[in-house]
Coordinates of all heavy atoms in Angstrom, one line a residue:
T41 N 124.6 71.8 122.1 CA 125.6 71.8 123.1 C 127.0 71.8 122.4 O 128.0 72.2 123.0 CB 125.5 70.7 124.1 OG1 125.5 69.5 123.3 CG2 124.3 70.7 124.9
D42 N 127.1 71.3 121.2 CA 128.4 71.3 120.5 C 128.6 72.6 119.8 O 128.4 72.7 118.6 CB 128.4 70.1 119.4 CG 129.8 69.8 119.0 OD1 130.6 70.6 119.1 OD2 130.0 68.6 118.5
L43 N 129.0 73.6 120.5 CA 129.1 75.0 119.9 C 130.1 75.0 118.8 O 129.8 75.9 117.9 CB 129.6 75.9 121.1 CG 128.8 75.9 122.4 CD1 129.4 76.9 123.4 CD2 127.4 76.2 122.1
A44 N 131.1 74.2 118.7 CA 132.1 74.3 117.6 C 131.5 73.8 116.3 O 131.9 74.2 115.3 CB 133.3 73.5 118.0
R45 N 130.5 72.9 116.4 CA 130.0 72.2 115.3 C 128.7 72.7 114.8 O 128.1 72.4 113.8 CB 129.9 70.7 115.4 CG 131.3 70.0 115.6 CD 131.0 68.4 115.8 NE 130.3 67.9 114.6 CZ 129.4 67.0 114.8 NH1 128.9 66.7 115.9 NH2 128.8 66.5 113.6
N46 N 128.0 73.5 115.7 CA 126.7 74.1 115.3 C 126.8 75.0 114.1 O 127.8 75.8 113.8 CB 126.2 75.0 116.4 CG 125.8 74.3 117.6 OD1 125.5 73.0 117.6 ND2 125.7 74.8 118.7
I47 N 125.9 74.8 113.2 CA 125.9 75.6 111.9 C 124.8 76.6 112.0 O 123.5 76.3 112.2 CB 125.7 74.7 110.6 CG1 126.9 73.6 110.7 CG2 125.6 75.5 109.3 CD1 126.5 72.6 109.6
E48 N 125.1 77.9 111.8 CA 124.1 78.9 111.9 C 123.0 78.7 110.9 O 123.2 78.5 109.7 CB 124.8 80.3 111.7 CG 123.9 81.4 111.9 CD 124.6 82.8 111.6 OE1 125.8 82.8 111.4 OE2 123.9 83.9 111.7
G49 N 121.8 78.8 111.4 CA 120.6 78.7 110.5 C 120.1 77.3 110.4 O 118.9 77.1 109.9
K50 N 120.8 76.3 110.8 CA 120.4 74.9 110.7 C 119.1 74.6 111.6 O 118.4 73.7 111.2 CB 121.6 74.0 111.0 CG 122.5 73.7 109.9 CD 121.9 73.0 108.7 CE 122.7 72.9 107.5 NZ 122.0 72.4 106.3
D51 N 119.1 75.3 112.7 CA 118.0 75.0 113.6 C 116.6 75.5 113.0 O 115.6 74.8 112.9 CB 118.1 75.9 114.9 CG 118.4 77.3 114.8 OD1 119.0 77.7 113.6 OD2 118.0 78.1 115.7
K52 N 116.7 76.7 112.3 CA 115.6 77.1 111.5 C 115.2 76.3 110.4 O 114.0 76.1 110.0 CB 115.8 78.6 111.0 CG 115.9 79.6 112.3 CD 116.1 81.0 111.7 CE 116.1 82.0 112.9 NZ 117.1 81.7 113.9
E53 N 116.2 75.7 109.7 CA 115.9 74.8 108.5 C 115.3 73.5 109.1 O 114.3 73.0 108.5 CB 117.3 74.4 107.9 CG 117.2 73.6 106.7 CD 118.6 73.2 106.2 OE1 119.4 74.1 105.8 OE2 118.9 72.0 106.0
I54 N 115.7 73.0 110.2 CA 115.0 71.8 110.8 C 113.6 72.1 111.2 O 112.7 71.3 110.9 CB 115.9 71.3 112.0 CG1 117.3 70.7 111.6 CG2 115.2 70.3 112.9 CD1 118.2 70.5 112.8
L55 N 113.4 73.2 111.8 CA 112.0 73.6 112.2 C 111.2 73.8 111.0 O 110.0 73.3 110.9 CB 112.1 74.8 113.0 CG 112.9 74.8 114.4 CD1 112.8 76.1 115.1 CD2 112.1 73.7 115.2
S56 N 111.7 74.3 110.0 CA 110.9 74.6 108.8 C 110.5 73.2 108.1 O 109.3 73.0 107.7 CB 111.7 75.3 107.7 OG 111.0 75.5 106.5
L57 N 111.5 72.2 108.2 CA 111.2 70.9 107.5 C 110.1 70.2 108.4 O 109.2 69.6 107.8 CB 112.4 70.1 107.5 CG 113.4 70.4 106.4 CD1 114.7 69.6 106.6 CD2 112.8 70.1 105.0
L58 N 110.2 70.3 109.8 CA 109.3 69.7 110.6 C 107.9 70.3 110.4 O 106.8 69.5 110.3 CB 109.6 69.8 112.0 CG 110.9 69.1 112.5 CD1 111.2 69.5 113.9 CD2 110.7 67.6 112.4
N59 N 107.8 71.5 110.1 CA 106.6 72.1 109.9 C 105.9 71.8 108.6 O 104.8 71.5 108.4 CB 106.9 73.6 109.9 CG 105.5 74.5 109.8 OD1 104.6 74.4 110.6 ND2 105.2 75.2 108.7
L60 N 106.9 71.6 107.5 CA 106.4 71.1 106.2 C 105.8 69.8 106.3 O 104.8 69.5 105.6 CB 107.7 71.2 105.3 CG 107.4 70.7 103.8 CD1 106.4 71.6 103.1 CD2 108.8 70.6 103.1
F61 N 106.4 68.9 107.1 CA 105.9 67.6 107.3 C 104.8 67.4 108.3 O 104.2 66.3 108.5 CB 107.1 66.6 107.7 CG 107.9 66.2 106.6 CD1 109.1 67.0 106.2 CD2 107.7 65.1 105.9 CE1 109.8 66.6 105.2 CE2 108.6 64.7 104.9 CZ 109.6 65.5 104.4
G62 N 104.2 68.5 108.8 CA 103.1 68.5 109.5 C 103.3 68.1 111.0 O 102.5 67.7 111.8
L63 N 104.6 68.1 111.3 CA 105.0 67.6 112.7 C 105.0 68.8 113.7 O 106.0 69.3 114.1 CB 106.4 66.9 112.8 CG 106.5 65.7 111.7 CD1 107.8 65.0 111.8 CD2 105.3 64.6 112.1
L64 N 103.9 69.3 114.0 CA 103.8 70.5 114.7 C 103.9 70.4 116.3 O 103.4 69.5 116.8 CB 102.4 71.0 114.5 CG 102.0 71.4 113.0 CD1 100.5 71.9 112.9 CD2 103.0 72.2 112.2
W65 N 104.8 71.2 116.9 CA 105.3 71.0 118.2 C 104.5 71.8 119.2 O 103.9 73.0 118.8 CB 106.7 71.3 118.4 CG 107.2 72.6 117.9 CD1 107.1 73.8 118.5 CD2 107.6 72.9 116.4 NE1 107.6 74.8 117.7 CE2 107.8 74.3 116.5 CE3 107.6 72.2 115.3 CZ2 108.1 74.9 115.3 CZ3 108.1 72.8 114.1 CH2 108.3 74.2 114.2
D66 N 104.4 71.4 120.5 CA 103.8 72.2 121.4 C 104.7 73.0 122.1 O 104.3 74.1 122.6 CB 103.1 71.2 122.5 CG 102.0 70.4 121.9 OD1 101.0 70.9 121.4 OD2 102.2 69.1 121.8
N67 N 106.0 72.6 122.3 CA 107.0 73.4 123.0 C 108.3 73.3 122.1 O 108.6 72.3 121.5 CB 107.3 72.9 124.4 CG 106.1 72.9 125.2 OD1 105.3 71.9 125.3 ND2 105.9 74.0 126.0
L68 N 109.1 74.5 122.2 CA 110.3 74.5 121.5 C 111.4 75.1 122.5 O 111.2 76.1 123.1 CB 110.2 75.4 120.3 CG 111.6 75.8 119.7 CD1 112.3 74.5 119.1 CD2 111.4 76.9 118.6
V69 N 112.5 74.2 122.7 CA 113.5 74.7 123.7 C 114.9 74.5 123.1 O 115.0 73.6 122.2 CB 113.4 74.0 125.0 CG1 112.1 74.4 125.8 CG2 113.6 72.5 124.9
Y70 N 115.8 75.3 123.4 CA 117.3 75.2 123.1 C 117.9 74.6 124.3 O 117.9 75.3 125.4 CB 117.8 76.4 122.6 CG 117.3 76.9 121.1 CD1 116.0 77.3 121.0 CD2 118.1 76.6 120.1 CE1 115.6 77.6 119.7 CE2 117.7 77.0 118.8 CZ 116.5 77.5 118.7 OH 116.1 77.8 117.3
Q71 N 118.7 73.5 124.1 CA 119.5 73.1 125.2 C 120.4 73.9 125.9 O 120.6 74.0 127.1 CB 120.2 71.8 124.7 CG 120.4 70.8 125.8 CD 120.8 69.4 125.3 OE1 121.7 69.2 124.5 NE2 120.1 68.3 125.7
S72 N 121.0 74.8 125.1 CA 121.9 75.8 125.6 C 121.4 76.8 126.6 O 122.1 77.4 127.4 CB 122.7 76.6 124.4 OG 121.6 77.3 123.6
H73 N 120.0 77.0 126.5 CA 119.4 77.8 127.5 C 119.4 77.3 128.9 O 119.1 78.0 129.9 CB 118.0 78.1 127.0 CG 117.9 78.9 125.8 ND1 116.7 79.3 125.1 CD2 118.9 79.5 125.0 CE1 117.0 79.9 124.0 NE2 118.3 80.1 123.9
N74 N 119.7 76.0 129.1 CA 119.7 75.3 130.3 C 121.1 75.1 130.8 O 121.2 74.2 131.8 CB 118.9 74.0 130.2 CG 117.4 74.1 130.0 OD1 116.9 75.1 130.6 ND2 116.8 73.2 129.3
F75 N 122.1 75.6 130.3 CA 123.4 75.3 130.8 C 123.7 75.6 132.2 O 124.3 75.0 132.9 CB 124.5 76.1 129.9 CG 124.8 75.6 128.5 CD1 125.6 76.4 127.6 CD2 124.3 74.4 128.2 CE1 125.9 75.7 126.5 CE2 124.6 73.9 127.0 CZ 125.4 74.5 126.1
D76 N 123.0 76.6 132.7 CA 123.2 77.1 134.1 C 122.6 75.9 135.0 O 123.2 75.7 136.0 CB 122.6 78.3 134.4 CG 123.3 79.5 133.9 OD1 124.5 79.4 133.6 OD2 122.8 80.7 133.8
K77 N 121.4 75.5 134.5 CA 120.8 74.3 135.3 C 121.7 73.2 135.3 O 121.9 72.4 136.3 CB 119.4 74.1 134.7 CG 118.6 73.1 135.6 CD 118.3 73.7 136.9 CE 117.4 72.8 137.8 NZ 117.0 73.3 139.1
H78 N 122.3 72.8 134.2 CA 123.1 71.6 134.0 C 124.3 71.8 135.1 O 124.7 70.8 135.7 CB 123.7 71.5 132.6 CG 122.6 71.4 131.5 ND1 122.7 71.9 130.3 CD2 121.4 70.8 131.6 CE1 121.6 71.6 129.6 NE2 120.8 70.9 130.3
R79 N 124.9 73.0 135.0 CA 126.1 73.0 135.9 C 125.7 73.0 137.3 O 126.4 72.5 138.2 CB 126.7 74.5 135.7 CG 127.3 74.6 134.3 CD 128.0 76.0 134.0 NE 128.4 76.2 132.6 CZ 127.7 77.0 131.7 NH1 126.8 77.8 132.3 NH2 128.2 77.2 130.5
Q80 N 124.5 73.6 137.6 CA 124.2 73.5 139.1 C 123.9 72.1 139.6 O 124.3 71.6 140.7 CB 122.8 74.2 139.3 CG 122.8 75.7 139.1 CD 121.4 76.3 139.2 OE1 120.4 75.7 139.5 NE2 121.4 77.6 138.8
L81 N 123.3 71.2 138.6 CA 123.1 69.8 139.0 C 124.5 69.0 139.1 O 124.5 68.1 139.7 CB 122.1 69.2 138.0 CG 120.6 69.7 138.2 CD1 119.8 69.1 137.1 CD2 120.1 69.3 139.6
A82 N 125.4 69.4 138.3 CA 126.7 68.7 138.3 C 127.3 69.1 139.7 O 127.9 68.2 140.3 CB 127.5 69.3 137.2
Q83 N 127.2 70.3 140.1 CA 127.8 70.7 141.4 C 127.1 69.9 142.5 O 127.7 69.5 143.5 CB 127.6 72.2 141.7 CG 128.6 73.1 140.8 CD 130.0 72.7 141.2 OE1 130.3 72.5 142.4 NE2 131.0 72.8 140.2
Y84 N 125.8 69.7 142.4 CA 125.0 68.9 143.3 C 125.5 67.5 143.4 O 125.7 67.0 144.5 CB 123.5 68.9 142.9 CG 122.6 67.9 143.7 CD1 122.1 68.3 144.9 CD2 122.4 66.7 143.1 CE1 121.4 67.3 145.7 CE2 121.6 65.7 143.8 CZ 121.1 66.1 145.1 OH 120.3 65.1 145.7
L85 N 125.9 67.0 142.3 CA 126.4 65.7 142.3 C 127.7 65.5 142.9 O 128.2 64.6 143.6 CB 126.6 65.0 140.9 CG 125.2 64.8 140.2 CD1 125.5 64.3 138.9 CD2 124.4 63.7 141.0
I86 N 128.7 66.6 142.7 CA 130.0 66.7 143.4 C 129.7 66.7 145.0 O 130.3 66.0 145.8 CB 130.7 67.9 143.0 CG1 131.2 67.7 141.6 CG2 131.9 68.1 143.9 CD1 131.9 68.9 140.9

Side-chain angles (χ1 to χ4, degrees):
T41 58
D42 195 340
L43 303 182
R45 294 180 60 228
N46 289 342
I47 300 174
E48 185 176 355
K50 279 298 175 184
D51 57 332
K52 293 180 175 58
E53 183 180 306
I54 291 168
L55 296 174
S56 177
L57 284 172
L58 292 173
N59 188 61
L60 179 64
F61 280 85
L63 305 179
L64 306 181
W65 54 90
D66 300 292
N67 301 90
L68 169 65
V69 296
Y70 284 74
Q71 203 159 58
S72 58
H73 295 175
N74 290 330
F75 279 175
D76 286 343
K77 188 66 175 179
H78 300 147
R79 296 184 188 108
Q80 290 173 13
L81 290 175
Q83 286 298 323
Y84 168 81
L85 292 178
I86 290 176

